[in-house]
Amino acid sequence: MNLKYSKDYQRFREEVRQFIKDHWTEEDVAANPQLSEMAQGLGSSPRTDERATAFRRAAAERGYMYRHVPRAYGGGEQAPDPLKATILVEELKAAKAPVELMSQGPAMLVPTLLAHGTEEQKKQYVESTLLGHVRWCQGYSEPGAGSDLASLRTSGVLEGDHWVVNGQKIWTSNAREADMMFALIRTEPDEPKHDGISYLLIDMKTQGIDVRPLRQMDGDAHFNEVFLDNVRVPRDSVVGERGQGWYVSRSTLKAERALIGNASMARRTFDGAVALAQMTQVRGRPAIEDPVIRDRLTDLESRVLAAEYNGFRLLTESAKGHDGGLAGLVTKLHTSTLAHDVSKLAMNISSDAAMLAPGEEHAPFAGMLVQSYIMYYALAIGGGAPNIQRNVIGERGLGLPRDPRR
């Protein structure tokens, strides 16, 4: 594994730096009305204001952003090159310039539409989603389904030119802010479990949709219940073939695992924990000098480095045109657990103050510690719960006997 960039890639880095210098000024950076740098590092949303949108458009036109997306849909349309993609992210972050939006729409739905959507669906949704103009939520989980995603019961019945949808989704993050939902709906009740599902795009303003927040222990409500009562969805809102939604959803799940399993999440949280240890006093001394905390930080940094170097290994394989195979599942399983362990240490360093909710006086980092601690439980489940991930790795990767099915 060679971690040095060639001269061609170094020239590419200089080109990117010049582009950023020409299109993203100090004034643009200062116009950010968001939280402090530390708060942003702990997970706040990226910019979607007019300055950020203009920069993303220019970067896409230059081929620097959304490189995998055709120009016809607002992307950069460049040949796959993971090393160039890595350089771009490094330079954009160094300049505090907007990076690609990585929420559910851009990171999960867009790859699915590009693979399975109609021409009309791509033109209608891809560019507006990449720029953050259309926000999405994911309608997969249902009450009583557990980790068996295919056992969903929300139904869709075709009446004329519309699907009439009835049922309930749960653990739906961003449902209150979302403009649209991509959802799995049972449309063929007489077909086998995995063959009777369609993948529908649903306007969240449609009559009959009721979103109810699920309040967390910190007072926030990241997740929601979504009730669908005779919701009429246009017939052409199906992505892929009718009744083949289970197979379409695999594209979304693969993208979700890649989104959650990126080592940058663990690195960002770890760097925040180190800064916290430097700023927080424990028994009259900076926490970073406490031998127990230093020992835990050392252990966690070794795991973060292992995740990063594993990411480099996968990057090298990708640059050679090789499929990483089940390594993506292993990475997601490892990094989601690691990020939670780092967040737990940050909570321990802050002691009782870490329990202060967002908005409360003296809450460290605007209350984001407790939010990230809770959120990492959810990220461990997103894209496939740990038991499901271990089963797939064991059966497909290690050749172990299949887990008994009911």
Side-chain angles (χ1 to χ4, degrees), residues 56-83:
R56 288 192 178 97
R57 284 188 189 277
E61 290 174 0
R62 182 66 175 265
Y64 288 165
M65 195 166 283
Y66 300 119
R67 294 166 51 84
H68 64 293
V69 178
R71 288 189 183 278
Y73 313 127
E77 192 170 336
Q78 299 293 306
D81 190 325
L83 294 181

Side-chain angles (χ1 to χ4, degrees), residues 263-342:
S264 63
M265 177 178 64
R267 166 57 68 183
R268 186 179 63 215
T269 310
F270 178 79
D271 289 345
V274 171
L276 178 67
Q278 293 169 333
M279 299 165 57
T280 305
Q281 296 283 315
V282 174
R283 291 183 289 275
R285 298 179 64 84
I288 195 71
E289 298 178 5
D290 185 280
V292 174
I293 292 175
R294 291 176 68 88
D295 182 63
R296 290 178 65 183
L297 284 171
T298 301
D299 173 65
L300 289 168
E301 183 163 32
S302 67
R303 293 168 60 190
V304 172
L305 285 170
E308 289 178 329
Y309 278 87
N310 185 55
F312 289 141
R313 181 174 68 87
L314 292 174
L315 185 65
T316 302
E317 291 299 310
S318 178
K320 294 178 180 177
H322 299 163
D323 187 353
L326 291 176
L329 290 177
V330 176
T331 301
K332 187 268 177 182
L333 183 63
H334 173 68
T335 55
S336 59
T337 304
L338 171 60
H340 180 264
D341 290 344
V342 175

Side-chain angles (χ1 to χ4, degrees), residues 15 64 110 227:
E15 292 174 8
Y64 288 165
V110 166
F227 296 85

Side-chain angles (χ1 to χ4, degrees), residues 34-55:
Q34 302 297 322
L35 301 172
S36 67
E37 183 176 346
M38 178 61 70
Q40 292 181 50
L42 287 170
S44 65
S45 299
R47 291 177 61 170
T48 57
D49 56 273
E50 292 183 3
R51 291 173 185 265
T53 296
F55 180 84

Side-chain angles (χ1 to χ4, degrees), residues 151-285:
S151 67
L152 58 88
R153 290 179 293 182
T154 297
S155 65
V157 177
L158 192 58
E159 292 185 1
D161 291 332
H162 289 81
W163 294 97
V164 179
V165 178
N166 284 282
Q168 180 188 352
K169 298 293 180 180
I170 196 169
W171 310 121
T172 313
S173 53
N174 306 317
R176 282 168 293 159
E177 299 81 18
D179 304 295
M180 300 286 295
M181 169 193 283
F182 51 93
L184 294 179
I185 307 294
R186 186 162 299 286
T187 56
E188 326 297 323
D190 297 328
E191 295 292 331
K193 185 167 68 173
H194 292 85
D195 295 332
I197 298 171
S198 293
Y199 193 109
L200 264 63
L201 307 180
I202 302 174
D203 189 330
M204 291 296 286
K205 294 186 289 296
T206 309
Q207 185 176 2
I209 294 180
D210 181 16
V211 180
R212 303 176 189 174
L214 290 168
R215 195 66 60 186
Q216 302 156 194
M217 65 179 76
D218 65 347
D220 198 0
H222 181 78
F223 299 102
N224 305 274
E225 295 176 288
V226 180
F227 296 85
L228 301 108
D229 182 14
N230 289 320
V231 175
R232 298 182 68 81
V233 181
R235 180 178 188 151
D236 59 2
S237 298
V238 175
V239 179
E241 298 294 329
R242 170 180 172 175
Q244 297 299 300
W246 178 254
Y247 306 98
V248 176
S249 73
R250 289 181 176 178
S251 295
T252 311
L253 288 171
K254 182 178 180 181
E256 185 176 14
R257 285 195 292 268
L259 174 65
I260 296 173
N262 193 308
S264 63
M265 177 178 64
R267 166 57 68 183
R268 186 179 63 215
T269 310
F270 178 79
D271 289 345
V274 171
L276 178 67
Q278 293 169 333
M279 299 165 57
T280 305
Q281 296 283 315
V282 174
R283 291 183 289 275
R285 298 179 64 84

